Amino acid sequence: MSEMMDYVLSFLILTGAVFTFIGSLGLARLRDFYTRLHGPTKATTLGVGSLLVASAVYFSTRGEGVSLHEVLVTLFLFITAPVSAHLLAKAALHLRLKSLAKAPEEAGRPET
Amino acid sequence: MLTSVIPIAFALVGAALALTLWRLLAGPSAPDRILALDTLYVNTVALLVLLGIHLGSALYFEAALLIALMGFVGTVALCKYLLRGDIIE
């Protein structure tokens, strides 16, 4: 494996791990459900996507042909993450969870 | 360089799993817990991919794909239960 490929792989793996961590940190630290929904569904998707790209590059450079297993997992995760986030938001609205944002009536109209 | 980056990545993903587990146990409402489970399976996929790179084995992708599949079905079923009070109507 060349020097250049080593750096690219290290960068992708580190980016993926850091974004995965940031997503879970958001899930643990933010203050209401709707903001908590934000963290994992975006940051974690990017993190896992980056790790999967790193894996595809790694297994493709080992001289056993192009590795396409990762594309399946990536495609599946990228299709299902928005769907599950949408369903979770619908469930939260159905249960009338408290939001930190003001309701539209209370927010008032901006001065013109 | 790769050999020194992979343990750091393992530590970060492990910390992410611990934070998610804390939210799963502490989460004040049911959607919070479902979201924590959802994040837990996505993080597990990340961990399995990392393990695949670490061991240099392509064997773990089937497991990752299965976890992704089953995790999605589980999330949808739990959300459907909260929304409708039943999973299969």
Side-chain angles (χ1 to χ4, degrees):
Chain A
M1 197 183 302
S2 65
E3 188 82 3
M4 184 67 196
M5 203 49 95
D6 202 37
Y7 280 115
V8 169
L9 275 177
S10 304
F11 174 74
L12 280 173
I13 288 175
L14 213 56
T15 313
V18 165
F19 269 102
T20 309
F21 179 71
I22 290 173
S24 295
L25 193 68
L27 176 70
R29 292 281 299 163
L30 289 172
R31 277 160 54 227
D32 75 338
F33 176 77
Y34 303 98
T35 49
R36 278 201 284 269
L37 187 59
H38 209 65
T41 48
K42 292 182 185 66
T44 308
T45 308
L46 178 60
V48 174
S50 175
L51 277 175
L52 284 162
V53 169
S55 175
V57 171
Y58 178 73
F59 284 108
S60 297
T61 52
R62 294 202 327 163
E64 294 161 11
V66 182
S67 172
L68 286 175
H69 300 260
E70 292 86 357
V71 179
L72 269 179
V73 184
T74 316
L75 211 66
F76 190 78
L77 275 179
F78 278 32
I79 290 170
T80 58
V83 176
S84 54
H86 174 74
L87 275 170
L88 275 165
K90 265 180 87 172
L93 286 174
H94 179 72
L95 294 178
R96 295 173 191 281
L97 290 189
K98 272 249 163 51
S99 167
L100 285 177
K102 279 181 187 158
E105 299 86 32
E106 297 169 36
R109 204 168 285 179
E111 303 282 328
T112 47
Chain B
M1 185 154 178
L2 200 60
T3 46
S4 60
V5 159
I6 284 178
I8 301 173
F10 268 125
L12 279 170
V13 178
L17 278 167
L19 285 171
T20 313
L21 193 65
W22 181 77
R23 177 55 69 194
L24 177 64
L25 296 175
S29 61
D32 275 306
R33 290 172 209 267
I34 302 175
L35 178 60
L37 272 178
D38 191 71
T39 315
L40 209 58
Y41 89 75
V42 176
N43 285 356
T44 312
V45 170
L47 203 61
L48 269 176
V49 169
L50 261 179
L51 187 69
I53 297 176
H54 178 60
L55 297 178
S57 153
L59 206 65
Y60 292 91
F61 289 111
E62 279 76 16
L65 193 61
L66 270 178
I67 288 177
L69 209 83
M70 292 299 149
F72 174 66
V73 172
T75 306
V76 169
L78 284 168
C79 285
K80 190 93 174 128
Y81 176 71
L82 282 186
L83 276 171
R84 307 286 298 172
D86 206 349
I87 296 171
I88 301 165
E89 292 170 68

